[in-house]
Amino acid sequence: MKLVFRINIDDNLEKTLAASRYRKFWEENNEEILSSLYKHTGLHFKQHTITVRIRADERSRAGNSHSPMELSMTYKEQDSIACALIHELAHRLVIGNGIEPPEDNAFIKSHANYYMHKHIDLFLYDVFLDVLSKEAADYEVKRESVSPESFYAKAWKWALDMDYAERQVVFDRLKKRYIK
């Protein structure tokens, strides 16, 4: 799987430097990231090339097969860059394999971010452990859980209240439900 970092002619130096930081991390760690994602999900990326652009704000977005992944230029530290990239790759992996909230369910659709994060949080912490460290994984969960009422905090709590084996069982059930 390949990430193509696109720099626009009108991108400023900060965006260009951010793209370089993400690209460097990806080039140095892509095999370990892909191996860990497969180890914890049993899934391969259906899309073999993902275009990545850099955003000026603090939000990152996974995009989909029709739109690029967008990563925030605000992250400067290695672990923050790594967590943002791995998090968005986790979204792309599950979406690309058809694991997403059903569109015909109005309640679930209105809570799609929560359900999607419940899906990826079943394995994301373990990928952070493999690729980074326990300290980095714990910090990222804490950072995303600053507001206990946020869907991020609720999804992390739900997933991490289970041990690894329980999370794997739940994720396997999800795969069976969505992947035909």
Side-chain angles (χ1 to χ4, degrees):
M1 210 267 297
K2 182 171 137 180
L3 297 183
V4 176
F5 292 84
R6 292 276 184 236
I7 304 299
N8 295 327
I9 192 97
D10 59 341
D11 282 347
N12 63 27
L13 181 59
E14 276 189 86
K15 278 187 174 183
T16 303
L17 292 173
S20 295
R21 289 190 294 271
Y22 283 111
R23 182 183 301 112
K24 182 178 188 294
F25 178 78
W26 174 250
E27 288 171 355
E28 292 173 355
N29 298 281
N30 68 69
E31 290 179 17
E32 188 176 8
I33 293 167
L34 295 172
S35 175
S36 182
L37 284 166
Y38 180 76
K39 176 174 110 178
H40 298 295
T41 67
L43 300 173
H44 292 286
F45 282 89
K46 301 292 185 189
Q47 192 175 357
H48 299 289
T49 302
I50 295 174
T51 300
V52 180
R53 295 186 193 229
I54 303 301
R55 294 173 61 104
D57 60 18
E58 294 182 3
R59 292 207 154 268
S60 293
R61 294 170 32 108
N64 57 42
S65 61
H66 307 291
S67 65
M69 178 184 292
E70 297 177 332
L71 298 170
S72 172
M73 76 175 194
T74 62
Y75 298 124
K76 308 278 191 274
E77 293 80 26
Q78 181 81 355
D79 286 347
S80 298
I81 290 164
C83 288
L85 178 60
I86 293 167
H87 180 119
E88 300 310 331
L89 285 170
H91 281 297
R92 284 298 273 263
L93 180 65
V94 296
I95 290 167
N97 280 279
I99 303 172
E100 53 190 322
E103 292 181 15
D104 59 343
N105 183 314
F107 175 79
I108 290 178
K109 190 173 182 178
S110 71
H111 294 79
N113 274 331
Y114 172 62
Y115 283 95
M116 182 53 71
H117 284 89
K118 280 178 67 173
H119 295 167
I120 69 169
D121 289 353
L122 289 167
F123 62 87
L124 189 57
Y125 183 82
D126 304 297
V127 176
F128 290 157
L129 289 176
D130 288 350
V131 178
L132 302 168
S133 66
K134 180 166 179 17
E135 294 78 22
D138 289 343
Y139 178 80
E140 185 63 11
V141 170
K142 185 177 178 180
R143 188 189 70 76
E144 287 191 359
S145 301
V146 170
S147 169
E149 294 306 310
S150 76
F151 64 82
Y152 289 111
K154 290 176 183 177
W156 275 121
K157 180 172 178 6
W158 174 81
L160 295 179
D161 277 349
M162 294 180 261
D163 65 22
Y164 178 76
E166 292 168 321
R167 290 194 304 272
Q168 287 293 292
V169 167
V170 172
F171 192 75
D172 285 342
R173 270 193 242 128
L174 274 173
K175 287 192 305 189
K176 289 177 183 153
R177 182 182 326 154
Y178 290 108
I179 300 174
K180 307 296 182 220

